[in-house]
Amino acid sequence: MAKELKELTPREESYSQWYNDLVVKAGLAENSAVRGCMVIKPYGYAIWEKMRDALDAMFKETGHVNAYFPLFIPKSFLSKEAAHVEGFAKECAVVTHYRLKNDPQGKGVVVDPEAKLEEELIVRPTSETIIWNTYKNWIQSYRDLPILCNQWANVVRWEMRTRLFLRTAEFLWQEGHTAHATRQEAIEEAERMIQVYARFAQEWMSVPVIIGHKSESERFAGADDTLTIEALMQDGKALQSGTSHFLGQNFAKAFDVQFTNKEGQLDYVWATSWGVSTRLMGALIMAHSDNNGLVLPPKLAPIQVVMVPIYKGLDELAQIVARMEEIAAELKALGVSVKIDDRDHVRSGFKFAEYELKGVPVRLAIGPRDLAGGTVELARRDTLTKAIVPQAGIAAHIRALLDEVQQNIFQKALDYRQGMITRVDSYDQFKQVLEEKGGFLLAHWDGTPETEEQIKNETKATIRCIPVDAPDEAGSCIISGKPSARRVLFAKSY
RNA sequence: CGGGGUGUAGCACAGUCCGGUUAGCGCGCCACGUUCGGGACGUGGAGGUCGGAAGUUCGAAUCUUCUCACCCCGACCA
C-alpha cells in the first residue's frame, strides 16, 4: 500500500526519516522545487490556521493588535545592533537587483546588470530592525506607550540543512514587538507572553512544556534575556517551541528611539519581542504520533469526527448517509466539525487507515446492523479503541469525549515527559543517561559559557533553559565542581 | 561549506560494472465487472526529452567531461 507508514519505534536512528515520511503521507507538507522551502498542503495549513486563530485570540485578550511591516529590510538597518547582525548575517537572503532582461545569447532571462540596487535589501530573517526604525516615528512621549503590536508574516533564514516544519528556509510565524516606558513593564510583558505560549502549547496542542531562561550563549541575538518553552519529542530530543525576549534598550539605542517621560526627561524605550512559528507543527507531530500516523488533539483537528458508512449497494449507502447527516447536524450544533466520507471507490477499511494516518480524533462507522439496532461504532484515535454505542445522545457523548481525548493526549505526553527528566550528579552519569535514555537532564552548572561549551562539544547536549520554577538547591557543577545554586535543564535538541 | 550517496512514469525502484530490438516491475491513475463490518480482486488501458549540456560510437539510460538538483552525516540555527 502506498499510504502505509514505515513501522518504527520512535527512538530508532531513522526517526527523522519516519517523521518526514509521516508529514508527507499525512498530507501536511512536502519539499518544494525551491531549495529548503516547503509547500504546506491544505490539510497541514488547516491545522496551522487553527493554531493561528487560537493564538491570535490570546494576543488580543492580552491587549495586542496586529500590524504589518515590510518584507525587505535595507542592509544598513541590520548592522545597527551589533549582536543582532552577528546572529543573523550568516543566513540572510539578499536582493541585489530589481530587473531581469532577455539573455543577449538567447537563453531565457538574465539579471540586468544595469538594475543593481544602490543599497541591497535583506529579506527579513526577523523584523526587529525595520520595526524599530518605524517605531522611532511613532514614539515621542510616554503617552505613546506602550505599543503592543504583533504581525503574522513569513521570514527567511538561509539554513544549511532543512527539515519539514522544524527548520525551513522560509517559514510562517508571528512576531510580537512591544515598546514600553519602563524596564519593569517590558520584563513583565516578556514573561506574560511566554506564559501565553505555554498555555497554548498545553491547552491547545496537548504538549507539555518547560518554561525557563536561556543561558547567555543561547540567547536571542540582541536580547538581554530570552525566555523559552521547551518541549520533549518522542525520540528523547528537545524542541525549542517558542521564545519571548526582553530586549532592554538595545534596539531603542540602535535606532535612537527616545521619549519624554512623565518627569519631562528623555529616555530610551524598553522593548520585547516574541514569536512562535510553523515549527509548532513539528512539535505537534512529533509529540503525539504513533505508527498509525498522526494523533491530533481535538482542538486543533481540522476534522474532529469522521463518519464512514459500511454498506452494500448504493441504496444502502444513501440510507446510511441520510442517518449520518442527521447525526452530523447535531454535532455541528455543538460546534464539532464533521466529515461524512461517502466515497464509493474506496473501501471502508482503507478509509479507516487513511483517517488514522491523518489523526482524526473520533471515527464513527455505521453499517446495516447499526441502522437496524440504533447503534454506531465509535473509535478513538488516541487509544485506538472501538465501542458500540447507541445513536441516541451520541452528539453530546462525542462532545464530552473530544474534551476527554484532548486531556488524555496531554496526560500521555506529560507522563512520558516526566519519565524522561533525570536528575544527574556527575558528568559520567550525565553522559550515560544521555546516551542510554535521552530526554531532559537536570544538573548543576557553574554558570560559565566555557563549561556549557565543553559539554556541548563533548556530548552534543545544550542547556535548554534555566527553568523558572527551579528550586534553590546548593550543589556543585558536574564539570568544574564549582558551586551552583540550582539545577539547569540539558538535552540534545533539534 | 566539508564527507558520503542518489537522479529512469505521479510515487518507490530494477536495468548502468560488461553500449545493441519498441526501456521494465510494483503501487497509484483511467474504463468495465465482481466485491464491500479494517488498507479488495479480475480484465483492459493511458502515462517516459532515462536530471541537463557537450563528446566518443554505426548505435548511449549504460562510456568520458562538465553542470544542475535532491537526500544523508557534520558545522550553523525558530
mmCIF file of all heavy atoms in Angstrom, chain A residues 48 52-53 55-60 62-69 127 131 135 138 147-153 173-179 189 193 196-197 243 272-277:
data_model
loop_
_atom_site.group_PDB
_atom_site.id
_atom_site.type_symbol
_atom_site.label_atom_id
_atom_site.label_comp_id
_atom_site.label_asym_id
_atom_site.label_seq_id
_atom_site.Cartn_x
_atom_site.Cartn_y
_atom_site.Cartn_z
ATOM 1 N N TRP A 48 -2.513 24.669 10.878
ATOM 2 C CA TRP A 48 -1.824 25.923 11.183
ATOM 3 C C TRP A 48 -2.837 27.073 11.388
ATOM 4 O O TRP A 48 -2.696 27.881 12.298
ATOM 5 C CB TRP A 48 -0.840 26.273 10.061
ATOM 6 C CG TRP A 48 -0.194 27.615 10.191
ATOM 7 C CD1 TRP A 48 -0.330 28.670 9.335
ATOM 8 C CD2 TRP A 48 0.669 28.073 11.240
ATOM 9 N NE1 TRP A 48 0.406 29.738 9.788
ATOM 10 C CE2 TRP A 48 1.020 29.407 10.953
ATOM 11 C CE3 TRP A 48 1.169 27.477 12.404
ATOM 12 C CZ2 TRP A 48 1.858 30.160 11.778
ATOM 13 C CZ3 TRP A 48 2.003 28.228 13.229
ATOM 14 C CH2 TRP A 48 2.335 29.553 12.910
ATOM 15 N N ARG A 52 -3.136 29.425 14.539
ATOM 16 C CA ARG A 52 -3.028 30.863 14.352
ATOM 17 C C ARG A 52 -4.229 31.582 14.972
ATOM 18 O O ARG A 52 -4.058 32.565 15.698
ATOM 19 C CB ARG A 52 -2.988 31.152 12.840
ATOM 20 C CG ARG A 52 -2.506 32.515 12.447
ATOM 21 C CD ARG A 52 -2.744 32.721 10.976
ATOM 22 N NE ARG A 52 -4.161 32.549 10.663
ATOM 23 C CZ ARG A 52 -4.653 32.445 9.431
ATOM 24 N NH1 ARG A 52 -3.840 32.465 8.399
ATOM 25 N NH2 ARG A 52 -5.940 32.291 9.231
ATOM 26 N N ASP A 53 -5.420 31.063 14.717
ATOM 27 C CA ASP A 53 -6.620 31.715 15.239
ATOM 28 C C ASP A 53 -6.633 31.692 16.766
ATOM 29 O O ASP A 53 -6.998 32.678 17.408
ATOM 30 C CB ASP A 53 -7.881 31.031 14.694
ATOM 31 C CG ASP A 53 -8.046 31.284 13.196
ATOM 32 O OD1 ASP A 53 -7.313 32.146 12.655
ATOM 33 O OD2 ASP A 53 -8.884 30.614 12.574
ATOM 34 N N LEU A 55 -4.038 31.418 18.836
ATOM 35 C CA LEU A 55 -3.000 32.316 19.342
ATOM 36 C C LEU A 55 -3.422 33.775 19.190
ATOM 37 O O LEU A 55 -3.267 34.585 20.107
ATOM 38 C CB LEU A 55 -1.683 32.082 18.586
ATOM 39 C CG LEU A 55 -0.867 30.872 19.028
ATOM 40 C CD1 LEU A 55 0.158 30.513 17.963
ATOM 41 C CD2 LEU A 55 -0.177 31.137 20.369
ATOM 42 N N ASP A 56 -3.965 34.083 18.030
ATOM 43 C CA ASP A 56 -4.365 35.464 17.767
ATOM 44 C C ASP A 56 -5.383 35.944 18.800
ATOM 45 O O ASP A 56 -5.303 37.064 19.297
ATOM 46 C CB ASP A 56 -4.932 35.577 16.348
ATOM 47 C CG ASP A 56 -4.823 36.991 15.818
ATOM 48 O OD1 ASP A 56 -3.681 37.465 15.653
ATOM 49 O OD2 ASP A 56 -5.859 37.631 15.600
ATOM 50 N N ALA A 57 -6.313 35.057 19.127
ATOM 51 C CA ALA A 57 -7.316 35.419 20.138
ATOM 52 C C ALA A 57 -6.643 35.660 21.486
ATOM 53 O O ALA A 57 -7.028 36.579 22.231
ATOM 54 C CB ALA A 57 -8.362 34.310 20.249
ATOM 55 N N MET A 58 -5.636 34.862 21.797
ATOM 56 C CA MET A 58 -4.939 35.047 23.073
ATOM 57 C C MET A 58 -4.157 36.360 23.079
ATOM 58 O O MET A 58 -4.064 37.040 24.101
ATOM 59 C CB MET A 58 -3.998 33.859 23.335
ATOM 60 C CG MET A 58 -4.741 32.546 23.577
ATOM 61 S SD MET A 58 -3.651 31.099 23.577
ATOM 62 C CE MET A 58 -3.406 30.859 25.323
ATOM 63 N N PHE A 59 -3.601 36.723 21.935
ATOM 64 C CA PHE A 59 -2.873 38.002 21.854
ATOM 65 C C PHE A 59 -3.838 39.175 22.048
ATOM 66 O O PHE A 59 -3.530 40.145 22.741
ATOM 67 C CB PHE A 59 -2.170 38.149 20.493
ATOM 68 C CG PHE A 59 -1.140 37.107 20.213
ATOM 69 C CD1 PHE A 59 -0.772 36.813 18.911
ATOM 70 C CD2 PHE A 59 -0.527 36.401 21.247
ATOM 71 C CE1 PHE A 59 0.182 35.840 18.634
ATOM 72 C CE2 PHE A 59 0.426 35.421 20.977
ATOM 73 C CZ PHE A 59 0.770 35.146 19.674
ATOM 74 N N LYS A 60 -4.992 39.067 21.450
ATOM 75 C CA LYS A 60 -5.988 40.141 21.578
ATOM 76 C C LYS A 60 -6.417 40.273 23.043
ATOM 77 O O LYS A 60 -6.553 41.382 23.565
ATOM 78 C CB LYS A 60 -7.214 39.836 20.702
ATOM 79 C CG LYS A 60 -6.904 39.680 19.213
ATOM 80 C CD LYS A 60 -6.987 40.990 18.449
ATOM 81 C CE LYS A 60 -6.327 40.919 17.075
ATOM 82 N NZ LYS A 60 -6.970 39.989 16.145
ATOM 83 N N THR A 62 -4.721 39.750 25.563
ATOM 84 C CA THR A 62 -3.674 40.394 26.345
ATOM 85 C C THR A 62 -3.355 41.797 25.816
ATOM 86 O O THR A 62 -2.297 42.350 26.105
ATOM 87 C CB THR A 62 -2.398 39.525 26.360
ATOM 88 O OG1 THR A 62 -2.166 39.008 25.046
ATOM 89 C CG2 THR A 62 -2.530 38.376 27.334
ATOM 90 N N GLY A 63 -4.290 42.341 25.024
ATOM 91 C CA GLY A 63 -4.179 43.756 24.662
ATOM 92 C C GLY A 63 -3.371 44.065 23.423
ATOM 93 O O GLY A 63 -3.025 45.218 23.180
ATOM 94 N N HIS A 64 -3.070 43.041 22.610
ATOM 95 C CA HIS A 64 -2.236 43.286 21.440
ATOM 96 C C HIS A 64 -3.069 43.498 20.188
ATOM 97 O O HIS A 64 -4.208 43.050 20.105
ATOM 98 C CB HIS A 64 -1.272 42.113 21.246
ATOM 99 C CG HIS A 64 -0.361 41.914 22.415
ATOM 100 N ND1 HIS A 64 -0.736 41.167 23.515
ATOM 101 C CD2 HIS A 64 0.864 42.398 22.686
ATOM 102 C CE1 HIS A 64 0.252 41.190 24.409
ATOM 103 N NE2 HIS A 64 1.227 41.936 23.931
ATOM 104 N N VAL A 65 -2.467 44.201 19.227
ATOM 105 C CA VAL A 65 -3.128 44.429 17.939
ATOM 106 C C VAL A 65 -2.197 43.982 16.817
ATOM 107 O O VAL A 65 -0.976 43.946 16.990
ATOM 108 C CB VAL A 65 -3.495 45.921 17.743
ATOM 109 C CG1 VAL A 65 -4.608 46.329 18.692
ATOM 110 C CG2 VAL A 65 -2.274 46.813 17.913
ATOM 111 N N ASN A 66 -2.793 43.654 15.670
ATOM 112 C CA ASN A 66 -1.990 43.221 14.534
ATOM 113 C C ASN A 66 -1.623 44.378 13.614
ATOM 114 O O ASN A 66 -2.386 45.329 13.467
ATOM 115 C CB ASN A 66 -2.738 42.162 13.725
ATOM 116 C CG ASN A 66 -2.737 40.814 14.425
ATOM 117 O OD1 ASN A 66 -1.766 40.468 15.109
ATOM 118 N ND2 ASN A 66 -3.800 40.057 14.278
ATOM 119 N N ALA A 67 -0.456 44.284 13.018
ATOM 120 C CA ALA A 67 0.011 45.268 12.038
ATOM 121 C C ALA A 67 0.874 44.512 11.036
ATOM 122 O O ALA A 67 1.091 43.300 11.190
ATOM 123 C CB ALA A 67 0.814 46.362 12.724
ATOM 124 N N TYR A 68 1.360 45.222 10.025
ATOM 125 C CA TYR A 68 2.222 44.545 9.052
ATOM 126 C C TYR A 68 3.356 45.461 8.607
ATOM 127 O O TYR A 68 3.144 46.629 8.309
ATOM 128 C CB TYR A 68 1.430 44.073 7.824
ATOM 129 C CG TYR A 68 2.291 43.223 6.924
ATOM 130 C CD1 TYR A 68 2.526 41.890 7.218
ATOM 131 C CD2 TYR A 68 2.915 43.769 5.802
ATOM 132 C CE1 TYR A 68 3.360 41.112 6.421
ATOM 133 C CE2 TYR A 68 3.741 43.001 4.996
ATOM 134 C CZ TYR A 68 3.959 41.674 5.320
ATOM 135 O OH TYR A 68 4.791 40.917 4.533
ATOM 136 N N PHE A 69 4.548 44.910 8.587
ATOM 137 C CA PHE A 69 5.754 45.654 8.225
ATOM 138 C C PHE A 69 6.403 45.015 6.991
ATOM 139 O O PHE A 69 6.129 43.856 6.681
ATOM 140 C CB PHE A 69 6.721 45.668 9.413
ATOM 141 C CG PHE A 69 6.126 46.347 10.620
ATOM 142 C CD1 PHE A 69 5.370 45.628 11.538
ATOM 143 C CD2 PHE A 69 6.282 47.712 10.822
ATOM 144 C CE1 PHE A 69 4.790 46.255 12.634
ATOM 145 C CE2 PHE A 69 5.713 48.344 11.918
ATOM 146 C CZ PHE A 69 4.965 47.623 12.827
ATOM 147 N N SER A 127 12.028 40.827 12.283
ATOM 148 C CA SER A 127 11.694 42.204 11.896
ATOM 149 C C SER A 127 12.086 43.295 12.881
ATOM 150 O O SER A 127 11.672 44.449 12.727
ATOM 151 C CB SER A 127 10.200 42.295 11.598
ATOM 152 O OG SER A 127 9.871 41.412 10.566
ATOM 153 N N ILE A 131 11.053 47.298 12.264
ATOM 154 C CA ILE A 131 10.006 47.751 13.172
ATOM 155 C C ILE A 131 10.511 48.880 14.081
ATOM 156 O O ILE A 131 9.826 49.874 14.286
ATOM 157 C CB ILE A 131 9.450 46.560 13.980
ATOM 158 C CG1 ILE A 131 8.551 45.724 13.057
ATOM 159 C CG2 ILE A 131 8.694 47.031 15.214
ATOM 160 C CD1 ILE A 131 7.983 44.476 13.673
ATOM 161 N N TYR A 135 9.034 52.420 14.659
ATOM 162 C CA TYR A 135 8.571 52.875 15.981
ATOM 163 C C TYR A 135 9.173 54.235 16.350
ATOM 164 O O TYR A 135 8.568 55.025 17.059
ATOM 165 C CB TYR A 135 8.945 51.853 17.063
ATOM 166 C CG TYR A 135 8.017 50.657 17.147
ATOM 167 C CD1 TYR A 135 6.922 50.526 16.287
ATOM 168 C CD2 TYR A 135 8.232 49.651 18.098
ATOM 169 C CE1 TYR A 135 6.092 49.417 16.385
ATOM 170 C CE2 TYR A 135 7.399 48.553 18.201
ATOM 171 C CZ TYR A 135 6.332 48.432 17.339
ATOM 172 O OH TYR A 135 5.504 47.348 17.432
ATOM 173 N N TRP A 138 6.875 56.771 15.710
ATOM 174 C CA TRP A 138 5.588 56.666 16.398
ATOM 175 C C TRP A 138 5.672 57.163 17.836
ATOM 176 O O TRP A 138 4.669 57.376 18.483
ATOM 177 C CB TRP A 138 5.108 55.208 16.422
ATOM 178 C CG TRP A 138 4.748 54.632 15.079
ATOM 179 C CD1 TRP A 138 4.873 55.227 13.857
ATOM 180 C CD2 TRP A 138 4.200 53.329 14.834
ATOM 181 N NE1 TRP A 138 4.453 54.388 12.862
ATOM 182 C CE2 TRP A 138 4.027 53.214 13.428
ATOM 183 C CE3 TRP A 138 3.837 52.261 15.637
ATOM 184 C CZ2 TRP A 138 3.502 52.059 12.836
ATOM 185 C CZ3 TRP A 138 3.316 51.113 15.050
ATOM 186 C CH2 TRP A 138 3.153 51.015 13.663
ATOM 187 N N ILE A 147 3.412 50.389 23.057
ATOM 188 C CA ILE A 147 2.975 49.907 21.750
ATOM 189 C C ILE A 147 3.018 48.383 21.805
ATOM 190 O O ILE A 147 4.049 47.797 22.160
ATOM 191 C CB ILE A 147 3.901 50.422 20.629
ATOM 192 C CG1 ILE A 147 3.750 51.939 20.517
ATOM 193 C CG2 ILE A 147 3.561 49.746 19.295
ATOM 194 C CD1 ILE A 147 4.684 52.572 19.503
ATOM 195 N N LEU A 148 1.887 47.776 21.501
ATOM 196 C CA LEU A 148 1.780 46.314 21.628
ATOM 197 C C LEU A 148 1.334 45.715 20.292
ATOM 198 O O LEU A 148 0.170 45.409 20.092
ATOM 199 C CB LEU A 148 0.773 45.958 22.722
ATOM 200 C CG LEU A 148 1.028 46.560 24.121
ATOM 201 C CD1 LEU A 148 -0.145 46.279 25.055
ATOM 202 C CD2 LEU A 148 2.316 46.013 24.721
ATOM 203 N N CYS A 149 2.285 45.581 19.372
ATOM 204 C CA CYS A 149 1.959 45.105 18.018
ATOM 205 C C CYS A 149 2.433 43.673 17.790
ATOM 206 O O CYS A 149 3.481 43.260 18.270
ATOM 207 C CB CYS A 149 2.620 45.985 16.961
ATOM 208 S SG CYS A 149 1.713 47.486 16.612
ATOM 209 N N ASN A 150 1.642 42.998 16.987
ATOM 210 C CA ASN A 150 2.024 41.668 16.518
ATOM 211 C C ASN A 150 1.905 41.665 15.011
ATOM 212 O O ASN A 150 1.076 42.371 14.450
ATOM 213 C CB ASN A 150 1.076 40.624 17.104
ATOM 214 C CG ASN A 150 1.347 39.249 16.552
ATOM 215 O OD1 ASN A 150 2.410 38.675 16.767
ATOM 216 N ND2 ASN A 150 0.390 38.703 15.806
ATOM 217 N N GLN A 151 2.756 40.882 14.334
ATOM 218 C CA GLN A 151 2.488 40.669 12.908
ATOM 219 C C GLN A 151 2.581 39.194 12.574
ATOM 220 O O GLN A 151 3.431 38.466 13.086
ATOM 221 C CB GLN A 151 3.399 41.514 12.017
ATOM 222 C CG GLN A 151 4.759 40.927 11.693
ATOM 223 C CD GLN A 151 5.438 41.641 10.515
ATOM 224 O OE1 GLN A 151 4.800 42.303 9.711
ATOM 225 N NE2 GLN A 151 6.742 41.498 10.431
ATOM 226 N N TRP A 152 1.668 38.778 11.684
ATOM 227 C CA TRP A 152 1.714 37.422 11.108
ATOM 228 C C TRP A 152 2.439 37.552 9.787
ATOM 229 O O TRP A 152 2.046 38.369 8.952
ATOM 230 C CB TRP A 152 0.297 36.880 10.917
ATOM 231 C CG TRP A 152 -0.353 36.555 12.216
ATOM 232 C CD1 TRP A 152 -1.178 37.367 12.955
ATOM 233 C CD2 TRP A 152 -0.214 35.345 12.962
ATOM 234 N NE1 TRP A 152 -1.558 36.734 14.109
ATOM 235 C CE2 TRP A 152 -0.985 35.485 14.143
ATOM 236 C CE3 TRP A 152 0.489 34.149 12.760
ATOM 237 C CZ2 TRP A 152 -1.073 34.471 15.103
ATOM 238 C CZ3 TRP A 152 0.399 33.145 13.716
ATOM 239 C CH2 TRP A 152 -0.382 33.312 14.874
ATOM 240 N N ALA A 153 3.494 36.803 9.607
ATOM 241 C CA ALA A 153 4.331 37.022 8.437
ATOM 242 C C ALA A 153 5.127 35.778 8.077
ATOM 243 O O ALA A 153 5.086 34.764 8.773
ATOM 244 C CB ALA A 153 5.299 38.167 8.704
ATOM 245 N N TRP A 173 5.289 32.647 10.716
ATOM 246 C CA TRP A 173 5.294 32.829 12.164
ATOM 247 C C TRP A 173 4.512 34.060 12.528
ATOM 248 O O TRP A 173 3.955 34.758 11.666
ATOM 249 C CB TRP A 173 6.736 32.890 12.698
ATOM 250 C CG TRP A 173 7.491 34.181 12.494
ATOM 251 C CD1 TRP A 173 7.156 35.225 11.663
ATOM 252 C CD2 TRP A 173 8.698 34.573 13.171
ATOM 253 N NE1 TRP A 173 8.101 36.198 11.766
ATOM 254 C CE2 TRP A 173 9.053 35.843 12.682
ATOM 255 C CE3 TRP A 173 9.500 33.966 14.132
ATOM 256 C CZ2 TRP A 173 10.184 36.514 13.130
ATOM 257 C CZ3 TRP A 173 10.623 34.643 14.568
ATOM 258 C CH2 TRP A 173 10.969 35.901 14.074
ATOM 259 N N GLN A 174 4.453 34.301 13.829
ATOM 260 C CA GLN A 174 4.013 35.603 14.306
ATOM 261 C C GLN A 174 5.159 36.172 15.109
ATOM 262 O O GLN A 174 5.922 35.426 15.730
ATOM 263 C CB GLN A 174 2.727 35.512 15.095
ATOM 264 C CG GLN A 174 2.688 34.680 16.352
ATOM 265 C CD GLN A 174 3.532 35.125 17.520
ATOM 266 O OE1 GLN A 174 4.104 34.291 18.210
ATOM 267 N NE2 GLN A 174 3.621 36.424 17.734
ATOM 268 N N GLU A 175 5.297 37.477 15.056
ATOM 269 C CA GLU A 175 6.305 38.124 15.880
ATOM 270 C C GLU A 175 5.675 39.331 16.547
ATOM 271 O O GLU A 175 5.126 40.206 15.901
ATOM 272 C CB GLU A 175 7.541 38.511 15.051
ATOM 273 C CG GLU A 175 7.242 39.185 13.739
ATOM 274 C CD GLU A 175 8.513 39.517 12.953
ATOM 275 O OE1 GLU A 175 9.553 39.810 13.569
ATOM 276 O OE2 GLU A 175 8.455 39.495 11.713
ATOM 277 N N GLY A 176 5.713 39.332 17.871
ATOM 278 C CA GLY A 176 5.215 40.463 18.632
ATOM 279 C C GLY A 176 6.365 41.402 18.928
ATOM 280 O O GLY A 176 7.485 40.944 19.229
ATOM 281 N N HIS A 177 6.114 42.693 18.804
ATOM 282 C CA HIS A 177 7.160 43.673 19.096
ATOM 283 C C HIS A 177 6.549 44.775 19.946
ATOM 284 O O HIS A 177 5.664 45.482 19.479
ATOM 285 C CB HIS A 177 7.726 44.246 17.795
ATOM 286 C CG HIS A 177 8.433 43.230 16.966
ATOM 287 N ND1 HIS A 177 9.772 42.952 17.109
ATOM 288 C CD2 HIS A 177 7.974 42.393 16.005
ATOM 289 C CE1 HIS A 177 10.116 41.999 16.254
ATOM 290 N NE2 HIS A 177 9.039 41.631 15.580
ATOM 291 N N THR A 178 7.005 44.881 21.174
ATOM 292 C CA THR A 178 6.380 45.856 22.065
ATOM 293 C C THR A 178 7.389 46.872 22.567
ATOM 294 O O THR A 178 8.581 46.589 22.678
ATOM 295 C CB THR A 178 5.709 45.169 23.271
ATOM 296 O OG1 THR A 178 6.723 44.614 24.112
ATOM 297 C CG2 THR A 178 4.754 44.079 22.812
ATOM 298 N N ALA A 179 6.857 48.067 22.847
ATOM 299 C CA ALA A 179 7.677 49.179 23.345
ATOM 300 C C ALA A 179 7.069 49.690 24.643
ATOM 301 O O ALA A 179 5.849 49.863 24.730
ATOM 302 C CB ALA A 179 7.714 50.282 22.300
ATOM 303 N N GLU A 189 6.008 42.091 30.364
ATOM 304 C CA GLU A 189 5.442 41.730 29.055
ATOM 305 C C GLU A 189 6.082 40.442 28.516
ATOM 306 O O GLU A 189 5.386 39.536 28.066
ATOM 307 C CB GLU A 189 5.657 42.877 28.055
ATOM 308 C CG GLU A 189 5.408 42.533 26.600
ATOM 309 C CD GLU A 189 3.937 42.418 26.224
ATOM 310 O OE1 GLU A 189 3.074 42.641 27.109
ATOM 311 O OE2 GLU A 189 3.656 42.089 25.056
ATOM 312 N N MET A 193 4.016 36.907 27.881
ATOM 313 C CA MET A 193 3.863 36.246 26.589
ATOM 314 C C MET A 193 4.422 34.819 26.592
ATOM 315 O O MET A 193 3.892 33.949 25.898
ATOM 316 C CB MET A 193 4.470 37.085 25.468
ATOM 317 C CG MET A 193 3.771 38.432 25.274
ATOM 318 S SD MET A 193 1.974 38.423 25.475
ATOM 319 C CE MET A 193 1.473 37.582 23.966
ATOM 320 N N VAL A 196 1.664 32.873 27.853
ATOM 321 C CA VAL A 196 0.642 32.668 26.825
ATOM 322 C C VAL A 196 1.046 31.486 25.933
ATOM 323 O O VAL A 196 0.241 30.596 25.646
ATOM 324 C CB VAL A 196 0.456 33.953 25.968
ATOM 325 C CG1 VAL A 196 -0.307 33.650 24.677
ATOM 326 C CG2 VAL A 196 -0.280 35.021 26.770
ATOM 327 N N TYR A 197 2.307 31.446 25.542
ATOM 328 C CA TYR A 197 2.796 30.351 24.705
ATOM 329 C C TYR A 197 2.679 29.007 25.428
ATOM 330 O O TYR A 197 2.289 28.002 24.840
ATOM 331 C CB TYR A 197 4.251 30.577 24.303
ATOM 332 C CG TYR A 197 4.468 31.682 23.293
ATOM 333 C CD1 TYR A 197 5.682 32.359 23.238
ATOM 334 C CD2 TYR A 197 3.473 32.037 22.388
ATOM 335 C CE1 TYR A 197 5.899 33.362 22.305
ATOM 336 C CE2 TYR A 197 3.679 33.048 21.470
ATOM 337 C CZ TYR A 197 4.888 33.708 21.422
ATOM 338 O OH TYR A 197 5.107 34.691 20.502
ATOM 339 N N THR A 243 9.745 31.531 21.880
ATOM 340 C CA THR A 243 10.637 32.362 22.688
ATOM 341 C C THR A 243 10.042 33.746 22.885
ATOM 342 O O THR A 243 9.278 34.237 22.057
ATOM 343 C CB THR A 243 12.020 32.525 22.019
ATOM 344 O OG1 THR A 243 11.832 32.848 20.644
ATOM 345 C CG2 THR A 243 12.859 31.272 22.153
ATOM 346 N N THR A 272 10.369 44.443 23.938
ATOM 347 C CA THR A 272 10.318 42.973 23.935
ATOM 348 C C THR A 272 10.034 42.516 22.504
ATOM 349 O O THR A 272 9.531 43.282 21.697
ATOM 350 C CB THR A 272 9.188 42.384 24.812
ATOM 351 O OG1 THR A 272 7.952 42.448 24.093
ATOM 352 C CG2 THR A 272 9.067 43.110 26.144
ATOM 353 N N SER A 273 10.355 41.274 22.230
ATOM 354 C CA SER A 273 9.821 40.633 21.033
ATOM 355 C C SER A 273 9.591 39.163 21.372
ATOM 356 O O SER A 273 10.256 38.618 22.257
ATOM 357 C CB SER A 273 10.762 40.785 19.835
ATOM 358 O OG SER A 273 11.950 40.051 20.024
ATOM 359 N N TRP A 274 8.632 38.573 20.695
ATOM 360 C CA TRP A 274 8.272 37.183 20.994
ATOM 361 C C TRP A 274 7.678 36.544 19.755
ATOM 362 O O TRP A 274 7.067 37.216 18.931
ATOM 363 C CB TRP A 274 7.308 37.105 22.183
ATOM 364 C CG TRP A 274 6.423 38.301 22.367
ATOM 365 C CD1 TRP A 274 6.707 39.434 23.079
ATOM 366 C CD2 TRP A 274 5.115 38.505 21.806
ATOM 367 N NE1 TRP A 274 5.660 40.323 22.992
ATOM 368 C CE2 TRP A 274 4.666 39.774 22.238
ATOM 369 C CE3 TRP A 274 4.270 37.740 21.013
ATOM 370 C CZ2 TRP A 274 3.416 40.301 21.885
ATOM 371 C CZ3 TRP A 274 3.026 38.245 20.656
ATOM 372 C CH2 TRP A 274 2.607 39.519 21.096
ATOM 373 N N GLY A 275 7.916 35.255 19.594
ATOM 374 C CA GLY A 275 7.439 34.609 18.375
ATOM 375 C C GLY A 275 7.274 33.100 18.497
ATOM 376 O O GLY A 275 7.981 32.443 19.265
ATOM 377 N N VAL A 276 6.321 32.604 17.748
ATOM 378 C CA VAL A 276 6.238 31.158 17.502
ATOM 379 C C VAL A 276 6.015 30.964 16.004
ATOM 380 O O VAL A 276 5.468 31.833 15.336
ATOM 381 C CB VAL A 276 5.104 30.440 18.276
ATOM 382 C CG1 VAL A 276 5.377 30.448 19.754
ATOM 383 C CG2 VAL A 276 3.740 31.026 17.947
ATOM 384 N N SER A 277 6.439 29.805 15.512
ATOM 385 C CA SER A 277 6.448 29.592 14.064
ATOM 386 C C SER A 277 5.773 28.282 13.695
ATOM 387 O O SER A 277 5.274 27.550 14.554
ATOM 388 C CB SER A 277 7.893 29.558 13.574
ATOM 389 O OG SER A 277 8.503 28.379 14.027
#
